[in-house]
Amino acid sequence: MPELPEVEVLVRHLAPLVRNRTIRGVEVRREKVVRPTTVGGLQRTLRGARIVGVTRRAKFFVFDLRKRRRGASFKLVGHLGMTGRVFLAPKRQPLPKHAAVVLDLGRQNLVYEDTRYFGRLSLDTSSLAKLGPEPLRPEFTSAGFASALKRSTQAIKVRLLDQTLVAGIGNIYASEALHRAGVSPRRAARNLTGVEVSRLRKAIRQVLAEAIRFGSTVPLNFGADDGDGLFYYGRAANAPDYYEERLRVYDRAGQRCRRCGATIRRIVQAARSTYFCPVCQR
DNA sequence: CACCATGTTCCTTG
DNA sequence: CCAAGGAACATGGT
């Protein structure tokens, strides 16, 4: 479920609900998910810790924790992979089939579940160090973006998925941002003009900000009872109207471009689907 | 059965 | 050493 906007909405939702709560117990049901932290290590470290806050970095969510009143603070880092979810649930509520880690917060459990187990929830913070700039912060500059693109012959769409270039863009919003910028996903990164780089940077920021706004507006269900409770495209089946018209190209192969009417195409780049309008994007 | 899926990391190749 | 491509991870939906 996650790219940057989905994680941002999750964190905004969760932060006020768990702030100042104490972790009483830790149950690890799928060891792989906490790696490289060990089950025993996680339990020893988390038990008795207080949640100071919850923040986001790229697609990661970060719990800031503190053991004692004036003790050193430390972090619990999570990533949702493709199918991860985090939610608060009453103690009596049955756990979902793929619940991987359960934190006992007293009245409620904080449940981390992930159908495919691609995600992580661990004390290892090393992945945060490798990340590039946050796209919605001032550190993401046109100059820095341009110089990073200059050296690569790779297709721009593929470059956008590199988390060291700019952090938080995934397969959906990469296609969306390129469409908004009017740039073909197949263009070699180094061939973009200065104007195109600036347009793309702006488009990235708009697409992500809009998705956060959308996710903050729409009524979301973060509980475990139905669906994925977020605002991903996959809800189309019985989704109400406001889920439509949101994505302009992603998963719309064969349908009309909402801007020019041409037929949206799907191609494969780096073994992943890319969607684009061959007329709007050159 | 076949193919597809919101992500990252590791291995191989050049 | 680096860049780029592809497989692996694991489960479910269509």
Side-chain angles (χ1 to χ4, degrees):
Chain A
M1 77 153 212
E3 291 187 28
L4 182 154
E6 291 75 21
V7 180
E8 176 66 25
V9 171
L10 168 70
V11 164
R12 288 184 190 181
H13 169 80
L14 221 49
L17 298 177
V18 300
R19 188 166 294 137
N20 287 324
R21 309 266 299 266
T22 298
I23 299 172
R24 318 280 174 105
V26 180
E27 185 193 355
V28 178
R29 318 176 104 232
R30 182 62 78 127
E31 220 170 318
K32 181 196 176 208
V33 161
V34 304
R35 266 186 344 206
T37 305
T38 63
V39 174
L42 191 71
Q43 289 171 332
R44 277 194 301 280
T45 307
L46 292 188
R47 195 167 299 153
R50 186 171 59 88
I51 301 173
V52 178
V54 191
T55 58
R56 178 192 61 73
R57 172 77 171 100
K59 304 173 193 174
F60 293 86
F61 54 93
V62 180
F63 286 83
D64 279 301
L65 303 164
R66 187 171 306 179
K67 205 69 176 245
R68 273 170 293 281
R69 237 221 253 281
R70 259 189 288 284
S73 66
F74 59 99
K75 296 175 192 309
L76 176 69
V77 178
H79 195 292
L80 298 169
M82 300 264 270
T83 52
R85 304 177 56 207
V86 174
F87 58 91
L88 282 167
K91 283 260 175 69
R92 52 183 335 101
Q93 185 172 301
L95 292 171
K97 182 175 175 187
H98 298 293
V101 180
V102 182
L103 303 184
D104 179 349
L105 297 186
R107 224 168 46 258
Q108 293 165 305
N109 287 326
L110 182 78
V111 181
Y112 174 97
E113 69 126 344
D114 183 0
T115 308
R116 289 167 76 179
Y117 304 112
F118 285 180
R120 284 287 182 281
L121 186 64
S122 84
L123 299 171
D124 173 35
T125 60
S126 61
S127 36
L128 299 180
K130 304 165 198 155
L131 297 168
E134 276 292 316
L136 295 178
R137 307 208 62 112
E139 62 200 79
F140 179 47
T141 62
S142 277
F145 192 34
S147 78
L149 295 178
K150 268 280 169 279
R151 282 162 279 141
S152 177
T153 59
Q154 223 173 13
I156 182 63
K157 152 64 163 44
V158 178
R159 294 302 294 134
L160 290 181
L161 299 180
D162 182 343
Q163 303 296 298
T164 68
L165 179 71
V166 49
I169 302 173
N171 205 39
I172 293 175
Y173 297 115
S175 282
E176 293 297 314
L178 284 163
H179 179 263
R180 183 178 292 239
V183 173
S184 166
R186 296 197 270 210
R187 294 274 299 284
R190 60 148 70 140
N191 292 343
L192 297 213
T193 66
V195 171
E196 287 173 324
V197 171
S198 300
R199 262 214 313 257
L200 181 54
R201 172 178 167 278
K202 191 172 175 190
I204 288 167
R205 295 166 61 96
Q206 287 176 336
V207 159
L208 297 178
E210 201 170 272
I212 292 170
R213 213 176 319 122
F214 176 85
S216 310
T217 308
V218 156
L220 299 175
N221 175 10
F222 288 88
D225 39 1
D226 75 337
D228 69 8
L230 265 175
F231 52 106
Y232 251 109
Y233 77 97
R235 308 217 37 150
N238 49 352
D241 289 348
Y242 45 69
Y243 286 108
E244 319 225 332
E245 303 248 343
R246 198 171 73 78
L247 301 178
R248 315 230 196 162
V249 286
Y250 187 81
D251 205 28
R252 296 193 65 238
Q255 299 178 46
R256 276 217 219 88
C257 174
R258 298 197 221 278
R259 192 153 139 261
C260 77
T263 304
I264 303 295
R265 290 191 41 189
R266 170 186 181 270
I267 59 174
V268 174
Q269 296 179 292
R272 315 204 58 191
S273 293
T274 299
Y275 299 88
F276 71 107
C277 170
V279 174
C280 291
Q281 299 174 253
R282 329 235 53 157

